[in-house]
Amino acid sequence: MKLFLEKITSSGGRVGRLVWCTESAQSVLETPLCLPYTRAGAIPHIVQSVYQDLSPRPTAAMLTLPSLYELPGSAVLKEYDYGIHNFLNMKDQFLYLSIQDPHCPPRSGFNEEKSTSVWTNGGRMKVSVAGYMEFVRASRPNVFESLCDSVSSQTNKLKRVRKSVDRTLRFLDQTLAMRQNCQVLEECGLLGAVVGGDVYEERVRSATETVKRPVDGFVIEGFDLEHSHECYQSILQSATSVLPQSSPRFIHGVYSPGDILTAVESGVDVFDSACVLTATENGCAFTFHNSSSDCVENRRENRGATENIAAEPPSHQIDLNDEKYAMDFSPLLRGCECYCCVHHTRAYIHHLLITREILASTLLMMHNFTHLMKFFASLRDVLRSPLESDYLHFKSLCAFPEHFLHA
Amino acid sequence: MPVATGGAIRGLTSGGVIATGTRILLSNAWHLMLQPGDERIATLGGLHRLMAWDRPILTDSGGYQVASLENLRKVSETGVHLRSYRDGSPHDLTPERAIEIQRNLGSDIAMVLDECLSLPAPPEEVERAAARSLRWAERSLVPQRAPGQLLFGIVQGGTLADVRRDNARALVSLGPPGEGFDGFGIGGLLMGEAGEDTRRMTALSAEVLGEERPRYLMGAGLPADLIESAGLGMDLFDSVIPTRLARRGIVFTSTGRLNVSRAPYRDDVAPLDEECECLACRDYCRAWLHHLLRAKERIAATLLSAHNLTFYAGLMARLREAIAADCFSDFHEENRHRWRSAGSPG
């Protein structure tokens, strides 16, 4: 896996291409990139035959260890011996394996000197470097995150934060040692985890030390919805400013459009789509701005056109549980071309939610996924534009306050 | 016909349902009347528009559903007075109202409102309910239906041969010639009675109902029930079995019936059924489905439902071929025990 940067904008955002090789071909993913979040190897609520109705059709995914470590687990995958790509029928896709599940962050206080804990369906399991490497060897993802001890931003104790940095580096060194002797592991890309909570010095130390190791990229750990905006950017930048330009930077747990843009400006390249699941499970449909084709003239025209229809104030999302949608026969979002907006109405989704039909989740996932992917495509467009004003205009339209995911 | 109670099947989009080979769905008029409301659906343009399903839909009037709500309903000659299970509001479901609801929904085939009894019931009750159902059926022919909508009458009479025979005869002759019912449901069976009784009543009903109009055995069923009943002259069936059993991990395959949530499938990387081309067998292995089910991922129910619906559609196609080629009895002999569960009687 290699990152080719096309451009670094004056705002700090990078646009580029992640190139990776399969046996048969070379494939390209454009950055800033949003990887489809999966659980138990599947995009939640979406069966694979529906992938053709998603836009774009998924060619990459983020696998989450907690939902795969117990089942299928190393034993089944080892016996199967064709790797996780074949097991999950995702043969030519780019698969990235993360240690934790960003949709369901782990409880703190359960990591130890020699292991990190993940919560599987069967309960807590301790993951040591050896156990994890066995899983990676059996599954052979394209790239995997190094085992890490990540503390949430709410952990203030310096001693605990220091320990997390030390442990993570030790895990990384053990991983590198095991990888050195194993060709299968060497063929998988390795991402070093940059931890350090909210402590600047520790963030810098973690980043600086990780850079000294031969890794293929970095995951900036420890950010989640609880972060307040003020220190989020500065802490993030304290880490990313130390990392080599040409290395891809991954992040989890960053989901509001405003936070995504802040991360992009801080030099992050790869995100995940777990927020799509959160919105869906709340019965919400994304409506935040995601189009790059709006310029000032367009907006004026659109405003004139929509004044004839009931004017809707801009919002991040709408909650389809609300009774007011019971007779609303318009699509989830006018102008959206996703399967749900083309075939169904707000009234139908509201009905499905009331009757607790799982089709509500399927249709909302289709909309929210398409919406978020379009946001990233538009983001790449405006970053590529020679006019910085395009990016700033886009940013002004979609930056929203925090807590946007709490309906 | 698989059952799409509230207008949806187990997380499958319309395209997904069509891919299973399913050609017609059943929806419940009564559930839809309570939520979202038949008039709302009419405003939108009908049930087909709501579901984005442009193939046939049959709606059940609600007679069976209200029978199970003993505390919430009161039956009289006018109809059924009942309370919504959603918000307790009172509703009057009369034969006329049932036709009106189904007109608003715009289904292709509507069913009359009938009085269903839970078995066992004393013979005089069965006879009384059958007579009332007949009077309700006659009232159902009067109100206007949606353009092109067909209406089926329903034969009642429990397991009492004479009552059922008389009921069927009367039903067949209702309405002016050529304007009576377009088909008949055989109701009041598969409610816990002995298999032998089901067979006798089915055969009897078929005999009386005549050859020209379709016969719909309501609530059938397991694969064995379908094969047997087809042999007795039934044309249409509906069942929640393919989707309900799928939720528990039970699937029907070309070699038999299995429960993929059981331990042996934990590391079985074969597809559910080597001969099946459904969206579950094409893209997922047993071990992964086992895991998805155990992890309570919703797509497990969707995938296994899709498989079972594909199986049922395929079974019915093979059944039709066997009948057309005049080798039904061989087909019956070969397959009548194939999909029984371990504990079910022969």
Side-chain angles (χ1 to χ4, degrees), chain A residues 39-42 45-49 67 71-72 76 79-80 87-89 121 323 326-327 329 339 343-344 348 351-352 354-355 357-359 362, chain B residues 6-8 10-14 35-36 40 43-44 50-52 86 266-267 269 279 282-285 287-288 291-292 295 297-299 302-303:
Chain A
R39 197 170 56 191
H45 306 298
I46 304 279
V47 302
Q48 286 196 355
S49 62
S67 56
L71 276 182
V76 173
E79 198 186 309
Y80 177 59
F87 185 84
L88 299 178
N89 193 36
N121 288 107
E323 177 64 29
M327 288 291 277
F329 297 131
Y339 177 92
H343 291 97
H344 294 293
Y348 187 49
H351 162 66
L352 292 174
I354 301 275
T355 52
E357 285 284 342
I358 58 182
L359 185 60
T362 301
Chain B
R10 291 286 154 249
L12 284 170
T13 58
S14 289
Q35 166 60 36
R40 279 183 181 174
T43 312
L44 175 60
L50 184 75
M51 294 168 62
R86 293 202 169 275
R266 198 170 197 258
D267 55 4
V269 294
L279 52 91
R282 221 177 45 206
D283 298 328
Y284 298 78
C285 64
W288 192 12
H291 176 36
L292 290 169
E297 288 290 335
R298 298 296 179 83
I299 61 168
T302 304
L303 290 165

Side-chain angles (χ1 to χ4, degrees), chain A residues 109-153:
Chain A
F110 290 92
N111 293 343
E112 297 170 5
E113 280 303 297
K114 292 192 178 158
S115 66
T116 283
S117 288
V118 298
W119 270 263
T120 69
N121 288 107
R124 179 166 83 100
M125 288 183 78
K126 295 193 211 179
V127 184
S128 63
V129 173
Y132 182 45
M133 286 300 104
E134 196 184 338
F135 183 84
V136 176
R137 195 165 29 224
S139 57
R140 308 200 284 275
N142 296 94
V143 64
F144 65 100
E145 181 182 14
S146 176
L147 191 69
C148 56
D149 172 26
S150 181
V151 296
S152 79
S153 58

Side-chain angles (χ1 to χ4, degrees), chain A residues 326-330 343-349 351, chain B residues 36-52 104-105:
Chain A
M327 288 291 277
D328 187 341
F329 297 131
S330 60
H343 291 97
H344 294 293
T345 61
R346 293 173 173 187
Y348 187 49
I349 305 296
H351 162 66
Chain B
D38 53 299
E39 271 137 29
R40 279 183 181 174
I41 296 180
T43 312
L44 175 60
L47 192 53
H48 292 82
R49 277 284 310 273
L50 184 75
M51 294 168 62
N104 282 335
L105 297 177

Side-chain angles (χ1 to χ4, degrees), chain A residues 308-381:
Chain A
N308 296 330
I309 319 166
E312 274 179 11
S315 60
H316 346 269
Q317 60 190 14
I318 53 173
D319 181 355
L320 276 308
N321 288 297
D322 195 323
E323 177 64 29
K324 74 184 183 196
Y325 296 113
M327 288 291 277
D328 187 341
F329 297 131
S330 60
L332 290 178
L333 182 63
R334 255 184 246 280
C336 176
E337 290 170 355
C338 80
Y339 177 92
C340 181
C341 289
V342 167
H343 291 97
H344 294 293
T345 61
R346 293 173 173 187
Y348 187 49
I349 305 296
H350 174 79
H351 162 66
L352 292 174
L353 286 169
I354 301 275
T355 52
R356 302 172 75 148
E357 285 284 342
I358 58 182
L359 185 60
S361 303
T362 301
L363 293 175
L364 282 172
M365 280 294 288
M366 293 174 84
H367 169 79
N368 290 334
F369 180 90
T370 305
H371 192 87
L372 185 67
M373 291 302 160
K374 188 160 179 232
F375 171 81
F376 273 84
S378 301
L379 174 57
R380 290 189 289 267
D381 281 344

Side-chain angles (χ1 to χ4, degrees), chain B residues 71-316:
Chain B
N71 295 332
L72 294 175
R73 65 169 168 88
K74 231 182 94 166
V75 188
S76 69
E77 185 62 23
T78 339
V80 185
H81 180 79
L82 47 82
R83 294 198 164 271
S84 160
Y85 58 83
R86 293 202 169 275
D87 58 10
S89 56
H91 293 270
D92 278 308
L93 187 59
T94 63
E96 292 79 10
R97 177 74 180 115
I99 300 296
E100 186 191 10
I101 294 169
Q102 293 175 90
R103 181 179 72 239
N104 282 335
L105 297 177
S107 53
D108 300 277
I109 305 175
M111 305 297 298
V112 301
L113 181 68
D114 57 340
E115 185 177 347
C116 295
L117 296 176
S118 39
L119 296 180
E124 40 300 351
E125 269 302 290
V126 173
E127 199 167 342
R128 184 204 54 71
R132 174 172 286 161
S133 296
L134 190 59
R135 290 192 294 277
W136 283 0
E138 194 166 17
R139 280 161 60 185
S140 304
L141 283 170
V142 174
Q144 199 187 21
R145 286 170 243 162
Q149 186 178 53
L150 304 178
L151 182 62
F152 280 24
I154 301 180
V155 179
Q156 290 290 351
T159 51
L160 303 175
D162 291 332
V163 179
R164 193 169 271 275
R165 195 179 286 117
D166 291 343
N167 192 272
R169 277 203 190 111
L171 209 60
V172 163
S173 47
L174 275 183
E179 282 179 35
F181 292 112
D182 302 296
F184 301 99
I186 289 88
L189 294 179
L190 294 163
M191 297 191 47
E193 75 275 6
E196 183 47 46
D197 286 335
T198 318
R199 281 192 280 278
R200 264 192 319 126
M201 294 298 108
T202 306
L204 188 162
S205 306
E207 198 190 342
V208 179
L209 290 172
E211 301 280 305
E212 296 85 33
R213 290 176 271 186
R215 306 91 164 261
Y216 160 30
L217 181 58
M218 305 180 79
L222 287 161
D225 298 331
L226 299 177
I227 297 173
E228 184 142 64
S229 313
L232 295 170
M234 297 294 110
D235 306 302
L236 278 170
F237 308 92
D238 79 274
S239 185
V240 293
I241 280 173
T243 48
R244 187 174 288 170
L245 291 190
R247 269 208 310 260
R248 289 164 43 197
I250 298 170
V251 292
F252 299 99
T253 71
S254 52
T255 49
R257 167 177 164 155
L258 62 90
N259 186 337
V260 78
S261 70
R262 295 247 167 93
Y265 300 104
R266 198 170 197 258
D267 55 4
D268 184 347
V269 294
L272 282 175
D273 187 352
E274 293 284 351
E275 293 174 28
C276 179
E277 301 263 312
C278 78
L279 52 91
C281 294
R282 221 177 45 206
D283 298 328
Y284 298 78
C285 64
R286 290 172 177 186
W288 192 12
L289 289 166
H290 171 94
H291 176 36
L292 290 169
L293 204 58
R294 297 289 291 267
K296 299 195 173 57
E297 288 290 335
R298 298 296 179 83
I299 61 168
T302 304
L303 290 165
L304 298 182
S305 293
H307 171 81
N308 279 349
L309 291 184
T310 306
F311 172 83
Y312 266 55
L315 176 67
M316 301 314 284

Side-chain angles (χ1 to χ4, degrees), chain A residues 15-311:
Chain A
V15 64
R17 294 178 340 270
L18 206 59
V19 179
W20 53 284
C21 298
T22 59
E23 278 167 18
S24 46
Q26 207 182 50
S27 292
V28 174
L29 294 164
E30 295 181 343
T31 62
L33 167 70
C34 185
L35 285 175
Y37 159 83
T38 67
R39 197 170 56 191
I43 299 178
H45 306 298
I46 304 279
V47 302
Q48 286 196 355
S49 62
V50 162
Y51 281 14
Q52 67 198 15
D53 293 317
L54 292 176
S55 171
R57 192 200 167 106
T59 55
M62 169 188 181
L63 302 179
T64 46
L65 187 69
S67 56
L68 295 170
Y69 194 61
E70 182 201 12
L71 276 182
S74 313
V76 173
L77 288 171
K78 211 161 39 176
E79 198 186 309
Y80 177 59
D81 202 32
Y82 291 106
I84 197 95
H85 287 77
N86 285 310
F87 185 84
L88 299 178
N89 193 36
M90 290 183 175
K91 217 158 52 162
D92 292 318
Q93 292 202 29
F94 175 82
L95 299 180
Y96 157 61
L97 176 64
S98 74
I99 298 293
Q100 297 293 354
D101 180 336
H103 185 254
C104 194
R107 285 175 282 171
S108 56
F110 290 92
N111 293 343
E112 297 170 5
E113 280 303 297
K114 292 192 178 158
S115 66
T116 283
S117 288
V118 298
W119 270 263
T120 69
N121 288 107
R124 179 166 83 100
M125 288 183 78
K126 295 193 211 179
V127 184
S128 63
V129 173
Y132 182 45
M133 286 300 104
E134 196 184 338
F135 183 84
V136 176
R137 195 165 29 224
S139 57
R140 308 200 284 275
N142 296 94
V143 64
F144 65 100
E145 181 182 14
S146 176
L147 191 69
C148 56
D149 172 26
S150 181
V151 296
S152 79
S153 58
Q154 288 159 328
T155 305
N156 290 325
K157 296 203 179 133
L158 183 57
K159 194 172 160 191
R160 178 66 184 94
V161 175
R162 274 210 190 111
K163 208 188 288 193
S164 82
V165 176
D166 293 334
R167 270 186 203 161
T168 300
L169 286 167
R170 201 168 55 243
F171 289 155
L172 178 57
D173 288 336
Q174 288 166 3
T175 303
L176 285 164
M178 289 189 73
R179 195 167 167 244
Q180 212 172 10
N181 302 323
C182 174
Q183 196 196 352
V184 167
L185 288 176
E186 283 203 329
E187 283 168 9
C188 306
L190 169 63
L191 300 183
V194 175
V195 295
D198 276 3
V199 181
Y200 289 98
E201 298 79 26
E202 289 302 302
R203 278 282 177 187
V204 173
R205 181 166 80 94
S206 177
T208 319
E209 286 300 315
T210 311
V211 169
K212 293 178 185 166
R213 276 76 170 168
V215 293
D216 304 298
F218 302 88
V219 184
I220 325 267
E221 277 284 355
F223 289 93
D224 54 39
L225 298 171
E226 303 304 316
H227 242 99
S228 79
H229 193 81
E230 280 167 39
C231 60
Y232 159 57
Q233 184 168 18
S234 45
I235 290 183
L236 187 49
Q237 282 180 341
S238 68
T240 55
S241 54
V242 174
L243 305 176
Q245 291 279 30
S246 57
S247 291
R249 299 91 174 267
F250 288 50
I251 199 166
H252 309 134
V254 172
Y255 301 123
S256 73
D259 285 348
I260 291 172
L261 295 181
T262 301
V264 166
E265 288 170 13
S266 306
V268 176
D269 307 300
V270 183
F271 300 78
D272 69 82
S273 71
C275 58
V276 169
L277 177 62
T278 309
T280 297
E281 293 194 333
N282 288 331
C284 292
F286 286 154
T287 52
F288 57 87
H289 180 80
N290 70 349
S291 171
S292 59
S293 59
D294 271 15
C295 59
V296 178
E297 280 70 50
N298 249 348
R299 269 204 310 161
R300 235 183 264 132
E301 272 172 22
N302 281 340
R303 202 179 296 139
T306 54
E307 257 160 28
N308 296 330
I309 319 166

